[in-house]
Amino acid sequence: MFTAKVKALLGTELPIIQAPMAGVQDANLAIAVSKAGGLGSIPCGMLGIEAIVSDIIKVKAATTEPYNLNFFCHQMPDYNQAQHDVWQNTLAKYFIELGISCENGPNSANRMPFNHDIADAIEAFKPEFISFHFGLPEQKLFDRIKSWGTKVVSSATTLEEALWLEAKGVDAIIAQGIEAGGHRGMFLTDDITTQVGSMALISQIVKKVDIPIIAAGGIADAQGVKASLLMGAGAVQIGTAYLLCDEANTSALHRLALKSEKASHTALTNLFSGKPARGIVNRIMNELGCMSALAPSFPHAAIEITQLRQYAEKQGLDGFSPLWSGQNTSGCLDISAKEMTKLLVSQLE
Ligand SMILES: Cc1cc2nc3c(=O)[nH]c(=O)nc-3n(C[C@H](O)[C@H](O)[C@H](O)COP(=O)(O)O)c2cc1C
């Protein structure tokens, strides 16, 4: 019933996009999902150009099925020593407690927005599908990608963002409900009170836009997939449910948290990167407050926190780690990504 439409939208047999998840997966998860008939994603937002190219080569060597490349397109804000000082003073007690000293670190904090250098490197591969988070790149860059015949999609977290993306010429809109794990793709406002749940968001967008919608956020099982398609989505994008899969690189501490009672309490926090993202509530979120005006702008908040995280994790502590997770962990299973993909479509005709 959905096959022709899905083929046209994603180029795949199944209406499933494995959500790109920077920091917890590489090409292996993408390959497994693409081979299973879904659209596997390579999260490029935290990778350098060499690593992006190497992941693409890895996917192409493993399968001829389509895959998705995912990039961030945030504005890079200035970051000066005075701003470093505020954040370092806020975190000083933790550095003292752990007995480590704080370094200023690289200014980019490992997250560069999509740019012409990246486009130069990936152009030869003529990627079939690219998804963006945090809006779209400037028009020239957008037109350049479209000229390759690439399908371009981006996340909308409000009806306004969906209308904005449609007017810019994207091929489909990822409707990211507030239940979603990881970063909010919000880009027209910083006001988190504008963010709505998947059911409300899908209904609002379906009624007002003419291009296909990809539902994301809180979809973790076959019933959720079926319900999203019934509501008018052409496909779904699923992240959290894949976090325990064999091919994901989710850390042992993160896996433990996802399987524990703690997973039922997630919240949006800007402490780990500077932008709101959903993760399992942990020590630093409890002590500093999940949303803090003291956290520097994205991506700079990550510089100091990453140092605490790396040291603490070696001691077996997850109190400074971004335990990204959506609100619905009920579908997380220790199985292969192929099995997960098959399970997710098991209620579709
Ligand atoms: C661990 C994790 C990392 C994520 N990283 C990215 C990313 O790099 N790029 C992106 O576009 N979305 C990212 N997301 C958000 C997903 O694209 C998607 O919106 C979300 O996973 C859907 O909700 P769900 O987690 O409830 O399935 C991430 C989500 C998670 C859980």
Side-chain angles (χ1 to χ4, degrees):
M1 145 195 131
F2 53 83
T3 320
K5 274 191 185 162
V6 173
K7 236 331 184 236
L9 173 59
L10 306 182
T12 58
E13 296 299 325
L14 305 178
I16 305 281
I17 304 180
Q18 163 254 313
M21 296 188 283
V24 301
Q25 62 140 137
D26 55 24
N28 291 329
L29 184 62
I31 291 167
V33 175
S34 284
K35 278 184 158 176
L39 189 68
S41 297
I42 306 178
C44 303
M46 289 169 66
L47 300 181
I49 287 177
E50 270 181 34
I52 294 170
V53 170
S54 137
D55 269 358
I56 297 174
I57 292 172
K58 214 169 162 190
V59 172
K60 290 187 84 75
T63 175
T64 54
E65 298 298 333
Y67 59 94
N68 168 39
L69 294 179
N70 171 256
F71 298 97
F72 297 156
C73 31
H74 54 286
Q75 303 291 322
M76 268 312 247
D78 290 335
Y79 194 42
N80 59 34
Q81 191 55 48
Q83 292 164 312
H84 261 299
D85 289 345
V86 171
W87 195 220
Q88 287 179 1
N89 288 338
T90 306
L91 301 177
K93 59 184 175 193
Y94 300 118
F95 280 93
I96 292 168
E97 179 189 315
L98 295 178
I100 55 173
S101 57
C102 182
E103 313 284 337
N104 269 356
N107 231 14
S108 72
N110 217 13
R111 290 172 171 96
M112 289 303 289
F114 187 74
N115 57 46
H116 277 288
D117 291 339
I118 301 174
D120 288 345
I122 64 170
E123 183 162 12
F125 299 101
K126 298 247 178 302
E128 293 112 330
F129 207 96
I130 290 186
S131 70
F132 288 108
H133 217 43
F134 312 131
L136 286 174
E138 43 138 349
Q139 195 67 41
K140 241 174 129 179
L141 205 40
F142 179 80
D143 294 342
R144 183 176 171 192
I145 304 164
K146 288 295 296 171
S147 76
W148 305 338
T150 301
K151 289 234 166 72
V152 179
V153 306
S154 183
S155 302
T157 65
T158 60
L159 175 61
E160 288 70 25
E161 287 177 349
L163 294 170
W164 187 95
L165 290 171
E166 183 181 38
K168 290 280 178 189
V170 296
D171 293 284
I173 290 163
I174 301 166
Q176 192 196 31
I178 199 162
E179 302 92 329
H183 282 88
R184 307 291 309 141
M186 57 201 293
F187 58 93
L188 290 182
T189 174
D190 291 333
D191 180 358
I192 57 170
T193 66
T194 61
Q195 302 296 284
V196 289
S198 287
M199 211 174 233
L201 188 62
I202 299 167
S203 295
Q204 288 171 8
I205 298 178
V206 161
K207 291 189 179 84
K208 297 279 182 181
V209 309
D210 293 323
I211 54 175
I213 293 168
I214 297 159
I219 307 162
D221 53 29
Q223 289 85 351
V225 172
K226 190 172 181 184
S228 305
L229 299 190
L230 275 175
M231 287 186 71
V236 297
Q237 174 161 292
I238 295 179
T240 299
Y242 281 103
L243 281 173
L244 295 185
C245 286
D246 306 338
E247 296 87 346
N249 293 335
T250 314
S251 72
L253 281 174
H254 196 168
R255 284 175 192 262
L256 215 59
L258 285 162
K259 290 181 193 176
S260 74
E261 282 177 10
K262 291 197 293 188
S264 62
H265 187 193
T266 65
L268 294 180
T269 178
N270 65 344
L271 296 177
F272 297 105
S273 68
K275 273 189 188 292
R278 183 173 296 285
I280 297 171
V281 174
N282 64 357
R283 177 180 170 192
I284 193 146
M285 289 161 77
N286 275 324
E287 292 183 4
L288 296 186
C290 294
M291 294 295 296
S292 168
L294 300 173
S297 302
F298 183 92
H300 302 301
I303 298 169
E304 283 81 6
I305 284 264
T306 302
Q307 297 169 51
L308 291 173
R309 170 201 180 166
Q310 284 170 345
Y311 188 84
E313 283 185 0
K314 283 188 195 134
Q315 324 299 313
L317 305 169
D318 68 7
F320 305 99
S321 304
L323 302 169
W324 300 141
S325 168
Q327 287 180 330
N328 188 2
T329 52
S330 68
C332 292
L333 292 169
D334 290 295
I335 55 176
S336 72
K338 179 179 176 180
E339 288 171 291
M340 177 57 75
T341 307
K342 298 287 175 210
L343 254 185
L344 289 169
V345 295
S346 60
Q347 296 220 348
L348 305 180
E349 290 123 47

